[in-house]
Amino acid sequence: MPIRENLAANLRRLIQRHASVSAVCREVGINRTQFERYLQGQAIPNKATARLICEYFKIDENELYREPAAAAASDGHASLRQTLYENMVRPPSPAIASGTYFTYFSVPGRPDLLMRSVTFVRREAELVTFRRATRWAPGDSQGGARAPGNHYGVVISRLNWIYFSGINSRQTGEPSIIAVQWAPISEPVLVGRAIVLAGPGPAFVSVIMRQDVTRISLRQAMRMAHIVRLDDPGVDNLVASLAREA
């Protein structure tokens, strides 16, 4: 096969393990239109871009251009991964709408604080995916604080629980999992538990999720994703009340 066709077939195989083509482009730092040309076998990347792609997918450059059959054969667990993924995302689809959700985590040893992340949920038919961003501080006028948490993953539902299972695309790439249920109250709010990475290691914390219905901008939502005090007037009263009970 021509090298462009090899590249296209291998890229299509590699992105199957990720949330979406758009997510890959954002993380690699490649223009979506240009990346689509690679996927269609219309172009090949220059050395610098190829290196970024290989670093992102954790492969060497030879695997990027080799015959697809050889690349697939070198991945002896591909079929197992596909089976596991299909079992994970099988129906029922989680009862959660697309949109922006503020996700509040309790902070171990600090009952006066909450870690407020912003979670973007996306539905594509029965498949539900998410991105969750976390920052340590509000940032400044020069562009804001670095985001140590940038998780991508899938949302599944089992026995009335909704699971957010993701991988952090930054730092060490640690996994996280959140299990929540709709609270039995009149207000639509999700409550549950999560396993996340804290300073000393994995921590088991309380979680509260509430959808933003004000349709604030992406930039404003990201600016709100940082540590907040429980008595901060900007924290939703219901969230503060539930956090105190937890």
Side-chain angles (χ1 to χ4, degrees):
M1 294 174 63
I3 189 171
R4 292 183 181 182
E5 293 183 19
N6 288 351
L7 170 69
N10 290 326
L11 282 177
R12 288 194 293 268
R13 175 177 57 85
L14 290 166
I15 64 174
Q16 288 177 354
R17 309 172 191 174
H18 296 264
S20 66
V21 174
S22 296
V24 171
C25 291
R26 283 194 302 269
E27 290 304 311
V28 179
I30 296 179
N31 178 274
R32 170 68 185 267
T33 301
Q34 185 61 31
F35 194 77
E36 287 288 354
R37 296 189 68 208
Y38 304 152
L39 289 175
Q40 300 302 321
Q42 299 173 351
I44 58 174
N46 58 31
K47 276 285 186 183
T49 302
R51 183 166 58 252
L52 289 174
I53 293 172
C54 291
E55 289 175 354
Y56 179 79
F57 289 116
K58 296 180 174 59
I59 60 173
D60 58 44
E61 194 168 343
N62 288 335
E63 184 174 345
L64 196 59
Y65 297 110
R66 72 177 61 170
E67 286 280 350
S74 68
D75 188 357
H77 300 292
S79 60
L80 175 59
R81 283 199 298 267
Q82 184 64 25
T83 299
L84 290 172
Y85 176 77
E86 290 173 355
N87 285 334
M88 178 179 287
V89 300
R90 74 180 191 275
S93 179
I96 186 169
S98 295
T100 301
Y101 292 76
F102 287 108
T103 307
Y104 297 84
F105 299 91
S106 60
V107 179
R110 292 297 304 270
D112 58 323
L113 299 178
L114 290 172
M115 170 61 80
R116 180 169 58 196
S117 298
V118 58
T119 303
F120 305 99
V121 176
R122 179 181 180 184
R123 295 192 70 102
E124 298 178 64
E126 294 298 306
L127 177 63
V128 183
T129 57
F130 75 93
R131 175 197 176 198
R132 186 177 72 251
T134 305
R135 304 192 305 175
W136 294 116
D140 53 40
S141 59
Q142 277 70 49
R146 183 173 62 88
N150 196 16
H151 287 79
Y152 288 89
V154 296
V155 188
I156 63 174
S157 180
R158 296 292 184 275
L159 300 176
N160 297 321
W161 286 90
I162 299 174
Y163 296 88
F164 290 75
S165 180
I167 294 290
N168 192 357
S169 64
R170 299 185 183 273
Q171 296 183 332
T172 58
E174 84 280 357
S176 72
I177 187 166
I178 298 175
V180 290
Q181 288 181 315
W182 290 105
I185 57 178
S186 59
E187 295 286 340
V189 60
L190 290 156
V191 295
R193 296 288 187 269
I195 298 177
V196 297
L197 184 65
F204 192 58
V205 298
S206 300
V207 180
I208 302 166
M209 292 185 66
R210 195 163 197 201
Q211 185 173 13
D212 169 60
V213 294
T214 63
R215 296 186 178 181
I216 63 175
S217 68
L218 171 62
R219 177 172 295 182
Q220 186 178 355
M222 292 292 287
R223 286 175 177 170
M224 295 173 66
H226 56 79
I227 288 280
V228 294
R229 295 189 61 85
L230 196 56
D231 57 2
D232 188 317
V235 175
D236 184 283
N237 289 332
L238 176 59
V239 169
S241 177
L242 291 171
R244 291 189 179 96
E245 290 178 7

